[in-house]
Amino acid sequence: GIAIASLLIFGRQVWPGIFLGALAANLLTSIAVFSSVGIAIGNTLEALVACWLLQKSKRWKGSLESVSSVLTFVVYAAVLAPLVSATIGSLSLCLGEPNQWDRFTSLWLTWWMGDGFGALIVSPLLLAWSSRRQIDSRDMPEITSLFVLLIIVVLIVFGGWFPGPIKTYPLAFLALPCLLWAAMKFQQRVVTSAIVLMAGVAVWGAKHGYGPFVQPSANVSLLLLISFVGTSSLMTLIVAAVTNERREAEAAKSKLGSELEHNRRRIEDIVAHVPGVVWEAWGKPDTANQRIDFVSSHVEKLLGYSVEEWL
């Protein structure tokens, strides 16, 4: 997610930083150097592929403020691009550690889902905070209330705050109203921050055995957790995009209405000062059903009939 957002914000020339960062992260583990280099290459190519596909797409507008942009980002950055990293990374790891071949399918699926949902959760946050759109200070009290409530809910659901000895009740859906609140009322910075906050607490809680997705296998717990968080993120981003498009449409409608009213008043002013008869009629002049709906006030002075008589 960080890699893809970095390329979209700063340009593809920063790809060496992605390679060095991925290489350094893997060299600090027990993974072989050969495998670490392969994983770093896969991570770098994944980000480059995602950036190239998005920039070539006519539906990508540089942000996630429209439904078409959200869906385009999901397909290219969260579905297709991770195929590159998952394939190259899994092959590199198995070639460096032959005993991992039996786990290749599970490894590849975990890798693909992790990278895909990572892009879906983290990239929107960085893209939103890199934009010039600021949070309206008048919304700060409501935003504060939202995040206080969200923190309490996610700590109860994912952080072990639920009273009693059992901390794994299936209550994940309780976090959704807070995400929808953010999506329907605020702009992308607030929405993406709420998503990452929930994801961070959920991952921390799962590591410590809390939350509804804890399973005997840590890998299964991870896959279930990121599936929920990623799906919730997608839903929230789509609702936020729909709300933003509706808000923009209403603003455009209001602006158009003001322009139409201005032009109507201008035409009325011109007609009122024209030294002649101005009228508006419907139907062909030679038909009996023609009607006159408007005639200017000069008609009485010039033709001897009042406006009411003329109509």
Side-chain angles (χ1 to χ4, degrees):
I2 296 173
I4 293 173
S6 298
L7 293 183
L8 292 174
I9 295 171
F10 301 110
R12 281 176 280 183
Q13 67 271 13
V14 302
W15 68 264
I18 299 172
F19 175 81
L20 294 176
L23 179 62
N26 287 284
L27 288 176
L28 296 176
T29 68
S30 59
I31 298 176
V33 175
F34 167 80
S35 299
S36 297
V37 173
I39 293 171
I41 292 174
N43 289 343
T44 306
L45 290 177
E46 173 191 13
L48 287 170
V49 168
C51 181
W52 181 79
L53 289 173
L54 288 171
Q55 291 178 343
K56 289 293 183 180
S57 174
K58 295 181 180 179
R59 295 179 178 272
W60 174 247
K61 306 301 181 183
S63 67
L64 297 171
E65 296 185 350
S66 67
V67 176
S68 61
S69 291
V70 172
L71 297 180
T72 300
F73 183 86
V74 170
V75 172
Y76 290 158
V79 176
L80 296 181
L83 296 174
V84 177
S85 179
T87 303
I88 296 177
S90 299
L91 288 174
S92 299
L93 190 60
C94 291
L95 289 174
E97 302 178 24
N99 60 327
Q100 296 287 347
W101 281 109
D102 293 339
R103 299 178 53 244
F104 180 83
T105 302
S106 174
L107 183 65
W108 185 92
L109 179 63
T110 303
W111 208 308
W112 175 69
M113 291 183 65
D115 279 15
F117 284 121
L120 185 60
I121 295 169
V122 179
S123 292
L125 175 74
L126 301 179
L127 292 174
W129 282 94
S130 68
S131 67
R132 296 182 179 181
R133 294 189 62 179
Q134 301 294 323
I135 298 176
D136 193 338
S137 58
R138 295 172 296 180
D139 292 332
M140 288 308 299
E142 186 176 358
I143 293 175
T144 303
S145 302
L146 166 64
F147 277 93
V148 169
L149 178 60
L150 178 61
I151 290 173
I152 294 174
V153 171
V154 296
L155 285 175
I156 291 174
V157 176
F158 301 106
W161 278 26
F162 193 87
I166 300 177
K167 309 294 183 181
T168 56
Y169 285 114
L171 301 174
F173 60 88
L174 292 179
L176 299 182
C178 293
L179 297 181
L180 291 176
W181 180 7
M184 300 183 70
K185 290 297 296 292
F186 305 112
Q187 47 106 324
Q188 287 286 327
R189 288 187 174 186
V190 178
V191 175
T192 54
S193 297
I195 291 172
V196 172
L197 173 63
M198 183 189 73
V201 175
V203 171
W204 176 87
K207 180 180 178 181
H208 291 80
Y210 304 135
F213 302 105
V214 174
Q215 300 292 324
S217 169
N219 192 67
V220 174
S221 300
L222 170 67
L223 294 182
L224 293 175
L225 176 63
I226 62 174
S227 297
F228 169 78
V229 175
T231 303
S232 301
S233 302
L234 176 59
M235 175 202 68
T236 306
L237 291 172
I238 290 177
V239 172
V242 171
T243 304
N244 181 71
E245 288 182 337
R246 179 178 179 180
R247 191 180 297 119
E248 291 180 349
E250 290 177 348
K253 178 181 177 181
S254 177
K255 180 181 178 181
L256 179 60
S258 299
E259 293 176 352
L260 289 174
E261 179 64 18
H262 172 73
N263 290 331
R264 186 185 67 81
R265 292 180 179 179
R266 179 170 176 268
I267 292 173
E268 288 180 349
D269 183 67
I270 293 174
V271 170
H273 294 85
V274 169
V277 179
V278 180
W279 72 92
E280 184 181 46
W282 294 87
K284 296 182 180 180
D286 57 348
T287 57
N289 62 354
Q290 184 191 37
R291 71 179 191 273
I292 296 177
D293 291 335
F294 170 81
V295 64
S296 61
S297 57
H298 291 281
V299 68
E300 186 171 6
K301 181 186 296 184
L302 296 177
L303 301 179
Y305 295 94
S306 67
V307 173
E308 290 76 14
E309 291 174 318
W310 188 273
L311 293 177

